[in-house]
C-alpha cells in the first residue's frame, strides 16, 4: 500500500491527517489532561508542533514504521488520533491513541481501535498487536479490553512521565485470538 489508508467504521472515518488539521490537533492534544497519560504528546503544545508531527506521517508509513490516522466523526470532525507503531521483522505493532476531551466516553477510541487492529492483522499481516497504558489510566485499559486485547501484566515503574515513574499495564492480541 503506497498511501496511508482510510478506514470506515459505523460512526467514524480514520483517515490520513491533513496539514489543515493542525489547529484542531493543537487545541485537543494541547489539553494537559490528554497529554498527561501519554508518553509522547508534548506539553505545552507549541505552535508548529502539530504541523511538524503531521508532516512525518506519510514518510513513516512509506518506511513501514507507523500508520497514524486521524479519527473523524461525521458531525464532530476530527476527534482524535490512532496509530500502529510497526516492527515488521517481528510482525508486531504497538497501538496508541488519544481522543479530545469533549469526545471522551462516547466509544470513539474503542471503535477506532477495533478498526485499526483489523487493518493491522488483515492488511499488514501482523502476528501481534500490543499496547501499554499507565495503571492510573483505567479508561485506556477498558478500551483495550473492549477492543479484544488481553491483559498480559504490569511493568512496575517502567516509564517516566513528568519526572515520575509510572507502573504500566501491557495488553496484547495475537492474529488468531477471537475478536
Ligand atoms: C483513554 C482514552 C483514549 C479513552 O477514549 P474514549 O473515546 O473516551 O474511550 P471509549 O469511550 O471507547 O471507552 C472508555 C471506557 O473507559 C471507561 N472509563 C472512563 N473513565 C474511567 C475511569 N476513570 N475508570 C474506569 N473506567 C473509565 C468508560 O466508562 C468506557 O468504558 P465502558 O464502555 O465500559 O463504559 C481518552 O480518555 C484519552 O484520550 N485520554 C488521554 C490520552 C490517553 O490516555 N491515551 C491512551 C494512552 S495509553
Amino acid at each position: 500500500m503506497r498511501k496511508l489508508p482510510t478506514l470506515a467504521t459505523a460512526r467514524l472515518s480514520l483517515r490520513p491527517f491533513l496539514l489543515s488539521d493542525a489547529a484542531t490537533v493543537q487545541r485537543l492534544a494541547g489539553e494537559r489532561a490528554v497529554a498527561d497519560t501519554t508518553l509522547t504528546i508534548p506539553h505545552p503544545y507549541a505552535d508548529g508542533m502539530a504541523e511538524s508531527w503531521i508532516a512525518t506521517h506519510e514518510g513513516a508509513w512509506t518506511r513501514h514504521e507507523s500508520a497514524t490516522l486521524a479519527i473523524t466523526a461525521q458531525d464532530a470532525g476530527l476527534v482524535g488520533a490512532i496509530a500502529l507503531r510497526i516492527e515488521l521483522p517481528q510482525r508486531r505493532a504497538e497501538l496508541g491513541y488519544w481522543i479530545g476531551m469533549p469526545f471522551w466516553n462516547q466509544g470513539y477510541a474503542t471503535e477506532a481501535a477495533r478498526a485499526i487492529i483489523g487493518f493491522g492483522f488483515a492488511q499488514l499481516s501482523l502476528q501481534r498487536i500490543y499496547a501499554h497504558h499507565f495503571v492510573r489510566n483505567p479508561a485506556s485499559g477498558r478500551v483495550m479490553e473492549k477492543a479484544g486485547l488481553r491483559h498480559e501484566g504490569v511493568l512496575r515503574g517502567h516509564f517516566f512521565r513528568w519526572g515520575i515513574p509510572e507502573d504500566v499495564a501491557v495488553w496484547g492480541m495475537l492474529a488468531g485470538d477471537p475478536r
Side-chain angles (χ1 to χ4, degrees):
M1 232 174 291
R2 215 168 53 80
K3 289 264 175 199
L4 271 164
T6 294
L7 311 177
T9 72
R11 295 180 298 166
L12 304 172
S13 173
L14 313 188
R15 55 139 177 94
F17 275 94
L18 307 168
L19 276 183
S20 55
D21 294 321
T24 309
V25 169
Q26 184 180 15
R27 178 167 50 80
L28 296 178
E31 291 280 356
R32 164 94 188 192
V34 173
D36 177 39
T37 46
T38 71
L39 272 183
T40 51
I41 297 178
H43 194 80
Y45 206 110
D47 289 350
M49 281 178 170
E51 286 85 348
S52 302
W53 177 66
I54 291 167
T56 64
H57 294 172
E58 282 293 345
W61 168 249
T62 307
R63 292 189 301 274
H64 309 298
E65 291 169 4
S66 61
T68 303
L69 295 172
I71 304 173
T72 66
Q74 269 144 23
D75 38 356
L78 177 65
V79 300
I82 192 155
L84 291 176
R85 191 175 58 78
I86 303 163
E87 298 158 274
L88 263 195
Q90 296 296 333
R91 288 180 56 199
R92 86 179 164 223
E94 180 177 4
L95 171 68
Y97 42 75
W98 59 262
I99 298 287
M101 286 178 72
F103 311 108
W104 284 7
N105 295 321
Q106 298 177 41
Y108 287 153
T110 304
E111 194 167 321
R114 287 180 179 141
I116 205 165
I117 287 169
F119 169 78
F121 286 129
Q123 306 298 323
L124 303 180
S125 301
L126 297 175
Q127 194 268 141
R128 170 173 164 81
I129 293 175
Y130 68 103
H132 296 107
H133 68 86
F134 296 162
V135 167
R136 66 178 169 86
N137 183 19
S140 188
R142 187 72 189 115
V143 170
M144 292 171 196
E145 183 176 14
K146 289 191 293 177
L149 282 76
R150 295 187 196 171
H151 185 257
E152 295 180 333
V154 171
L155 307 174
R156 293 175 307 139
H158 188 67
F159 290 120
F160 274 92
R161 185 55 156 155
W162 319 110
I164 295 167
E166 294 278 355
D167 292 348
V168 172
V170 185
W171 294 69
M173 184 170 185
L174 301 183
D177 286 350
R179 264 176 261 167

